[in-house]
Amino acid sequence: LVLMALFSNNVSLAAPSQMNDTSRRLYDRVMDEFKQRDYEAALAGFRLFIEIHGQSALAANAQYLMGECQYRMGLYKDALNSFYNVIMTYPLSPKLAASTLKLGQTYEKLGDQENARIMFDRVVNQYPDTSESEVARKAIAVADSNNHANLGQSE
């Protein structure tokens, strides 16, 4: 009986470790595809990763990188969904600032300057001491200078 109890404890302790190894291996393999700029393969891999390992510590990164793949492939509406999913599904993720910034950049690609500005302002206000905030400030400055130039042309 004691041996069974010890054995069952060892199995339950080994399972999370094996799961972490499996999720890390898959994540690393998909990251290699992403780094090789094979965005279609990486997108499929990150989708699979989230399906299998949606509760892992790497899931928010995988969701964010799905959005990156879609963005780089010009699938901007899909990218919006992926970046919003990071924010909604993983509210404590370190990818929140990056996802919010990417939402702004994606709205820009779609020609939606109003929503782009909302996202850039959100990055600056909610994540002021991040590199994403610097990028958002620059995007706001460019948008403001373009608006002033356009106002000057219309007069």
Side-chain angles (χ1 to χ4, degrees):
L1 203 66
V2 172
L3 286 176
M4 276 182 35
L6 286 174
F7 180 71
S8 65
N9 283 343
N10 286 341
V11 170
S12 66
L13 292 175
S17 174
Q18 281 181 324
M19 187 66 137
N20 288 343
D21 290 347
T22 304
S23 66
R24 174 50 83 175
R25 274 197 306 276
L26 176 57
Y27 182 86
D28 289 345
R29 195 171 320 132
V30 178
M31 273 306 295
D32 287 341
E33 292 169 333
F34 182 81
K35 289 174 186 171
Q36 297 291 321
R37 296 187 173 139
D38 187 351
Y39 299 124
E40 282 186 43
L43 178 59
F46 288 127
R47 273 196 186 113
L48 176 65
F49 182 90
I50 290 168
E51 250 179 65
I52 298 171
H53 304 289
Q55 301 303 312
S56 86
L58 296 169
N61 283 8
Q63 182 67 56
Y64 172 82
L65 288 165
M66 275 180 57
E68 275 289 342
C69 291
Q70 293 158 330
Y71 182 89
R72 293 174 186 202
M73 293 167 61
L75 304 171
Y76 299 122
K77 290 184 179 176
D78 292 337
L80 283 177
N81 288 330
S82 290
F83 295 129
Y84 274 118
N85 277 338
V86 174
I87 293 167
M88 303 304 290
T89 309
Y90 309 99
L92 302 176
S93 167
K95 286 292 185 191
L96 295 180
S99 295
T100 308
L101 175 64
K102 278 311 246 194
L103 284 168
Q105 293 171 331
T106 306
Y107 278 122
E108 269 189 338
K109 290 286 190 183
L110 291 168
D112 185 343
Q113 299 309 319
E114 186 177 336
N115 277 319
R117 179 61 178 255
I118 289 168
M119 291 300 142
F120 292 142
D121 285 339
R122 186 171 293 167
V123 173
V124 170
N125 294 328
Q126 291 182 354
Y127 314 101
D129 299 324
T130 62
S131 59
E132 290 86 359
S133 180
E134 277 306 306
V135 174
R137 281 187 189 91
K138 289 177 184 168
I140 291 168
V142 168
D144 287 349
S145 71
N146 287 343
N147 287 340
H148 292 304
N150 291 339
L151 286 175
Q153 289 175 355
S154 63
E155 291 175 0

